């Protein structure tokens, strides 16, 4: 015996399912918006009641849409039980979708309970027909329909939950879409479940009262319609669905407009307001305040080399560290990029800066990579340095810049002359592009000498910039600017080409094949295709890699130890040599010397002055490094050797090589050519395997 469906009622069931689903989605969002926990159980109960009724009505109308050749009725008790099941299932679903974070396990568990519940409701409802003989079910169809119910429930819960937490854009459309998907799933389950039922020929319905199916359908759908629409209206009225979501949207908009999306810190606009308030407070006699301008050191290099994802994570960790340990009145804001500002009480400004430096310098692990950052901080005081946000930020920025210039990882208090410095930096930054294209740059060469024999072991290329108006600009002044703007990569390529050009020139004159060291700033060192770039440049010039040494600072190497040691190994395997520059000024971890396998250690010039003064520190570090380097077979070079007494002390310590004004200043290319000719007999040729290319 087969049944037929009344298409109108099928449609009606779909509409009711849709309405029930939409109510559920709205409810789970509305529940979340409920401020008072006191009302939550009541809302939950009411919500479950209307949603359960909705699902059940859908099912019931679906049943009524189905007519068998015999008269059908429904047992009241069993029908009521199926309604109670539907309400219970809705309670579980709503409670899950409206609270806390939805873990995968909780989602699956709640979805399975809900799906099984819906299925149970369905088959209980079928039972209410009390057919004789009993309905026979096709097992696989039953299993599939239960599976559909569970999958649909999990999807629906997930949708409801994501929608609850998602942004304001197109929310209504999204909710309608979700409700529609849920409705299709619920009706799909129902009709698939129905298809599992086989009615034997000559079946009879034993249940007592046989109401007219069409009338019953009308009553049920009207009731559920009223309940559902009522719930929606109540939702709209009470939690003020519309007004609440409008308010929420407004709050979100306001938050977005005043906070930085990445770190959740207040943005520049908020900062200006905060400073204006503090200025007004001072006028009323409140304590004076300071503005701390914080810029991370070497962030750009990390961001460029490890990707923005790592950069963003790093910024978040830094923001968190800045937030810690602030007094109630203080504020941390993010200006953008790696720039942050703290507003603090004047009396505690320097202590705050010191605390920030300390906390930022602790190791940060991002994606399993141990990273280290430091910061440069500039401090400006109100009212001494400025009377409004713009003036104070400007001065704090200038002081931050001074902190960068004085070697980073430190703070500087603003002084009027710093404004000049900041202005000059702006001019230099602007003119640097032109310097590169108009030939204002040149390379000087400073030789290195073996202590014992005074033979020439190599030479270091040092960049020079003659500015048409400002004259000679020190590399320490413009290299950081080039790093900031990213121009350092082009400048680095230029230096390398210039060095190659000179090597080819020397070789052409039959001069000894001297090794030339080229400095790589942190950002250059972190360019992803560094070695390939270098190979290409040397290849184009026809220069053998063994003629080149690269000098990198500890700081550059330590930014990402894994990657740095790989880059260093690649450079070495391609025939280049690598030196660690300014040793002793950064992390000075002797342990890392073993790890990195440098060919040369250049001990920073600052230690030489201590040697002169008979200081302990210089001597102690030097003898320790020399001993370790000897064991590791790494050459030790002392930089910045200016006096005879320093030279003498170094030879006592058995240091291998020296470089400094004492033996030679950096020489312009033409002068260095003269030097090379004059010293031809005491020049140590680069690398043993290296043969100067034939001319
Ligand atoms: P650095 O690599 O440590 O270079 C040594 C610096 O010490 C050079 O300063 C050199 O002129 C100076 N110097 C040499 N002997 C003495 C001495 O006896 N006493 C004193 N007081 N100083 C001495 P310079 O040329 O001003 O370069 C400064 C820094 O700029 C370099 O430090 C290096 O880090 C960077 N730099 C220079 N040229 C380049 C380049 O082509 N590329 C990159 N990325 N950085 C460069
Ligand atoms: Ca160097
Ligand atoms: Ca150095």
């Amino acid at each position: 015996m087969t049944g037929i469906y009344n298409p109108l009622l099928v449609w009606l069931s779909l509409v009711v399912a849709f309405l029930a689903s939409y109510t559920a989605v709205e409810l789970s969002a509305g529940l979340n918006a409920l401020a008072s926990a006191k009302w939550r159980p009541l809302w939950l109960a009411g919500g479950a009641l209307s949603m359960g009724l909705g699902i059940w009505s859908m099912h019931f109308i679906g049943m009524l849409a189905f007519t068998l050749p015999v008269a059908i009725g429904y047992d009241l008790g069993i029908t009521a039980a199926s309604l109670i099941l539907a309400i219970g299932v809705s309670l579980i679903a709503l409670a899950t979708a409206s609270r806390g974070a939805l873990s995968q396990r909780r989602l699956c568990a709640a979805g399975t309970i809900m799906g099984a519940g819906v299925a149970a409701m369905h088959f209980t409802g079928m039972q209410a027909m009390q057919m004789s003989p009993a309905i026979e079910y096709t097992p696989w169809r039953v299993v599939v329909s239960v599976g559909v119910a569970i999958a649909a429930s999990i999807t629906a819960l997930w949708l409801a939950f994501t929608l609850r937490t998602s942004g304001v854009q197109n929310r209504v459309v999204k909710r309608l879409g979700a409700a529609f998907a849920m409705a299709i799933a619920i009706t799909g389950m129902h009709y698939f479940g129905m298809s599992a039922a086989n009615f034997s020929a000559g079946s009879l319905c034993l249940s007592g009262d046989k109401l007219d199916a069409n009338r019953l359908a009308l009553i049920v759908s009207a009731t559920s319609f009223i309940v559902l629409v009522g719930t929606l209206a109540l939702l709209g009225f009470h939690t003020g669905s519309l007004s609440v979501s409008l308010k929420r949207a407004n709050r979100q908009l306001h938050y977005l407009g005043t906070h930085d999306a990445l770190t959740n810190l207040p943005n520049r606009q908020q900062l200006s307001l905060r400073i204006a308030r503090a200025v007004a407070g001072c006028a009323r006699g409140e304590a004076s305040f300071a503005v701390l301008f914080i810029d991370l050191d070497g962030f750009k290099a990390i961001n460029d080399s490890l990707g923005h994802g790592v950069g963003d994570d790093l910024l978040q960790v830094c923001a968190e560290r800045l937030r810690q340990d602030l007094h109630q009145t203080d504020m941390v804001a993010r200006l953008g990029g790696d720039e942050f500002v703290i507003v603090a009480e004047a009396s505690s400004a320097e202590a705050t800066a010191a605390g920030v430096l300390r906390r930022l310098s602790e190791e940060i692990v991002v994606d399993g990579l141990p990273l280290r950052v430091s910061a440069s901080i500039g401090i400006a005081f109100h009212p001494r340095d400025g009377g409004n946000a713009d003036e104070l930020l400007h001065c704090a920025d200038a002081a931050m810049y001074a902190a960068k210039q004085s070697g980073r990882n430190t703070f500087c208090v603003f002084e009027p002359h710093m404004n000049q410095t900041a202005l000059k930096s702006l001019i230099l930054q602007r003119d640097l592009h032109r310097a590169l294209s108009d030939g204002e740059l040149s390379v000087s060469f400073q030789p290195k000498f073996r202590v014992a024999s005074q033979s020439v072991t190599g030479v270091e290329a040092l960049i020079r910039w003659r500015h048409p108006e400002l004259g000679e600009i020190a590399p320490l002044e413009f290299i950081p600017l080039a790093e900031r703007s990213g121009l350092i990569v082009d400048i680095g390529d230029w230096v390398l080409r210039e060095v190659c050009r000179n090597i080819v020139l020397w070789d052409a004159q039959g001069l000894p094949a001297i090794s030339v060291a080229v400095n790589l700033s942190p950002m250059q060192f972190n360019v992803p295709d560094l070695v390939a770039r270098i190979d290409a440049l040397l290849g184009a010039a026809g220069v053998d890699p063994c003629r080149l040494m690269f000098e990198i600072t500890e700081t550059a190497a330590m930014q990402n130890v894994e990657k740095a040691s790989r880059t260093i190994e690649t450079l070495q395997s391609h025939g280049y040599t690598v030196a660690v520059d300014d040793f002793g000024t950064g992390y000075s971890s002797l342990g890392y010397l073993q790890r990195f396998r440098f060919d040369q250690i250049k001990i920073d010039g600052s230690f030489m002055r201590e040697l002169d003064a008979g200081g302990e520190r210089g001597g102690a570090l030097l003898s320790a490094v020399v001993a370790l380097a000897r064991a590791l077979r790494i050459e030790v070079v002392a930089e910045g050797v200016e006096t005879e007494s320093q030279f003498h002390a170094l030879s006592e310590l058995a240091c291998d090589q020296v470089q400094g004004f004492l033996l030679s200043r950096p020489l312009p290319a033409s002068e260095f050519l003269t030097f090379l000719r004059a010293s031809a007999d005491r020049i140590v040729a680069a690398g043993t395997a290296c043969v100067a290319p034939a001319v």
Side-chain angles (χ1 to χ4, degrees):
M1 174 163 97
T2 45
I4 43 165
Y5 283 102
N6 175 338
L8 207 72
L9 286 180
V10 170
W11 273 110
L12 194 63
S13 71
L14 190 65
V15 170
V16 170
F18 174 73
L19 214 56
S21 305
Y22 189 69
T23 313
V25 174
E26 279 292 329
L27 264 171
S28 63
L31 270 168
N32 188 50
L34 267 185
S36 150
K38 206 172 75 188
W39 294 103
R40 204 182 131 84
L42 208 68
W43 269 99
L44 208 55
L49 206 71
S50 67
M51 182 178 154
L53 188 67
I55 297 178
W56 177 83
S57 312
M58 176 273 135
H59 153 84
F60 201 67
I61 297 166
M63 302 271 282
L64 296 174
F66 180 78
T67 25
L68 282 172
V70 293
I72 298 174
Y74 299 91
D75 180 84
L76 214 68
I78 302 179
T79 307
S82 72
L83 175 61
I84 287 167
L85 260 170
I87 294 171
V89 156
S90 304
L91 190 68
I92 295 170
L94 273 181
T96 306
S98 64
R99 163 165 281 164
L102 193 63
S103 70
Q104 237 170 34
R105 262 183 57 196
R106 206 146 71 86
L107 173 71
C108 288
T112 310
I113 294 174
M114 185 178 161
V118 169
M121 171 205 76
H122 175 86
F123 293 109
T124 312
M126 298 280 279
Q127 203 53 45
M129 290 199 265
Q130 298 196 312
M131 298 301 289
S132 171
I135 305 170
E136 272 178 39
Y137 290 98
T138 315
W140 74 266
R141 284 186 182 258
V142 174
V143 171
V144 171
S145 74
V146 174
V148 167
I150 290 175
S153 303
I154 292 178
T155 317
L157 279 180
W158 179 79
L159 269 174
F161 187 82
T162 344
L163 281 177
R164 196 199 86 187
T165 48
S166 75
V168 283
Q169 270 183 339
N170 300 328
R171 204 175 52 195
V172 173
V173 178
K174 283 186 190 161
R175 284 189 183 172
L176 285 173
F180 190 68
M182 273 167 81
I184 295 282
I186 294 173
T187 38
M189 183 269 146
H190 173 87
Y191 290 109
F192 205 83
M194 288 291 275
S195 77
N198 306 307
F199 299 88
S200 337
S203 291
L204 279 180
C205 173
L206 300 183
S207 71
D209 32 15
K210 295 187 178 64
L211 268 169
D212 170 46
N214 284 324
R215 265 187 51 206
L216 198 62
L218 213 68
I219 294 168
V220 170
S221 46
T223 327
S224 55
F225 193 82
I226 290 166
V227 171
L228 291 173
V229 170
T231 310
L232 280 175
L234 209 61
L235 252 178
F237 179 72
H238 232 297
T239 59
S241 182
L242 204 63
S243 79
V244 163
S245 39
L246 249 179
K247 259 195 213 135
R248 206 178 329 134
N250 252 332
R251 260 206 311 276
Q252 253 166 348
L253 256 177
H254 178 75
Y255 190 83
L256 288 178
T258 53
H259 286 75
D260 165 53
L262 180 67
T263 59
N264 274 332
L265 289 177
N267 62 11
R268 185 187 281 271
Q269 183 210 343
Q270 281 299 91
L271 175 70
S272 299
L273 280 176
R274 174 72 182 82
I275 295 179
R277 234 182 296 135
V279 169
C282 279
R284 287 194 305 270
E286 284 172 21
S288 66
F289 68 95
V291 171
L292 283 71
F293 199 110
I294 303 162
D295 188 287
L296 301 182
D297 300 328
F299 174 75
K300 203 168 166 10
I302 292 181
N303 209 35
D304 290 348
S305 58
L306 301 178
H308 296 289
V310 172
D312 285 355
D313 289 354
L314 190 69
L315 286 174
Q316 281 170 337
V317 176
C318 290
E320 199 42 58
R321 291 189 181 177
L322 290 176
R323 243 194 301 252
Q324 288 166 11
D325 191 38
L326 279 182
H327 300 291
Q328 289 259 289
T329 51
D330 294 356
M331 174 196 227
V332 195
R334 177 172 177 229
L335 289 191
D338 57 346
E339 293 178 340
F340 300 89
V341 171
I342 290 180
V343 180
E345 254 184 37
S347 57
S348 62
E350 298 196 14
T352 303
V356 165
L357 289 178
R358 199 181 50 246
R359 264 174 286 128
L360 282 183
S361 66
E362 282 160 26
E363 188 173 84
I364 298 175
V365 178
V366 176
D367 270 2
L369 294 170
L371 298 174
R372 272 178 193 278
V373 286
S374 57
S376 300
I377 306 180
I379 307 178
F381 290 97
H382 173 82
R384 195 193 70 182
D385 302 327
N388 60 38
D390 279 349
E391 289 170 12
L392 286 165
L393 283 174
H394 178 80
C395 293
D397 187 20
M400 181 281 291
Y401 198 71
K404 284 248 188 250
Q405 300 272 294
S406 70
R408 306 174 164 205
N409 195 19
T410 185
F411 66 85
C412 278
V413 173
F414 176 77
E415 289 165 29
H417 74 82
M418 290 173 180
N419 259 335
Q420 290 316 111
T421 321
L423 189 65
K424 190 175 176 197
S425 302
L426 268 180
I427 295 174
L428 292 185
Q429 181 129 28
R430 186 197 63 195
D431 293 349
L432 206 49
H433 283 274
R434 190 199 57 201
L436 190 61
S437 55
D438 289 9
E440 293 169 20
L441 301 178
S442 64
V443 174
S444 281
F445 296 91
Q446 186 180 33
K448 291 179 280 191
F449 301 86
R450 191 161 293 289
V451 175
S453 60
Q454 300 222 356
S455 53
V456 182
T457 51
V459 64
E460 178 177 5
L462 293 161
I463 194 167
R464 296 290 173 258
W465 179 14
R466 174 170 282 281
H467 190 283
E469 288 102 39
L470 301 169
E472 205 69 53
I473 313 288
L476 281 180
E477 210 171 329
F478 71 84
I479 295 283
L481 295 179
E483 278 248 311
R484 266 187 167 189
S485 65
L487 199 62
I488 189 69
V489 177
D490 290 336
I491 291 182
D493 285 354
W494 180 84
V495 170
L496 203 54
R497 269 198 299 270
E498 191 61 12
V499 164
C500 288
R501 195 178 63 80
N502 277 285
I503 290 177
V504 170
L505 198 88
W506 304 331
D507 289 351
Q509 304 200 9
L511 292 163
I514 193 168
S515 154
V516 186
V518 171
N519 291 284
L520 292 180
S521 67
M523 186 175 160
Q524 283 176 279
F525 182 65
N526 286 316
V527 167
D529 54 348
L530 173 77
V531 186
R533 272 178 101 94
I534 295 174
D535 282 345
L537 278 170
L538 260 82
V543 170
D544 194 297
C546 78
R547 297 293 291 276
L548 264 286
M549 170 178 278
F550 291 98
E551 297 190 1
I552 57 169
T553 60
E554 278 173 280
T555 323
M558 297 291 288
Q559 275 174 3
N560 178 354
V561 174
E562 291 298 325
K563 184 166 171 283
S565 64
R566 248 182 289 129
T567 308
I568 291 167
E569 271 166 30
T570 315
L571 279 169
Q572 289 167 332
S573 72
H574 286 218
Y576 307 98
T577 43
V578 184
V580 56
D581 204 356
D582 302 345
F583 189 79
T585 57
Y587 297 91
S588 317
S589 153
L590 291 172
Y592 277 106
L593 284 182
Q594 271 161 301
R595 165 132 204 196
F596 283 128
R597 292 287 165 188
F598 289 108
D599 299 285
Q600 200 174 80
I601 304 169
K602 299 189 78 180
I603 298 179
D604 193 66
S606 58
F607 292 93
M608 305 313 136
R609 282 177 272 297
E610 303 216 13
L611 271 187
D612 237 359
E616 285 295 299
R617 195 175 78 110
L621 179 108
L622 274 165
S623 56
V625 173
V626 169
L628 182 70
R630 182 114 322 133
L632 297 170
R633 295 160 189 268
I634 307 174
E635 286 272 308
V636 180
V637 183
E639 292 188 299
V641 179
E642 294 178 347
T643 66
E644 288 288 353
S645 70
Q646 286 166 358
F647 186 84
H648 182 71
L650 288 164
S651 87
E652 293 280 282
L653 286 166
C655 177
D656 301 304
Q657 304 180 26
V658 290
Q659 186 183 23
F661 295 168
L662 176 70
L663 295 178
S664 173
R665 292 192 162 259
L667 304 168
S670 58
E671 282 178 44
F672 183 68
L673 187 63
T674 316
F675 171 90
L676 259 187
R677 286 202 189 106
S679 327
D681 57 336
R682 56 184 183 114
I683 285 170
V684 181
T688 39
C690 180
V691 183
V695 250

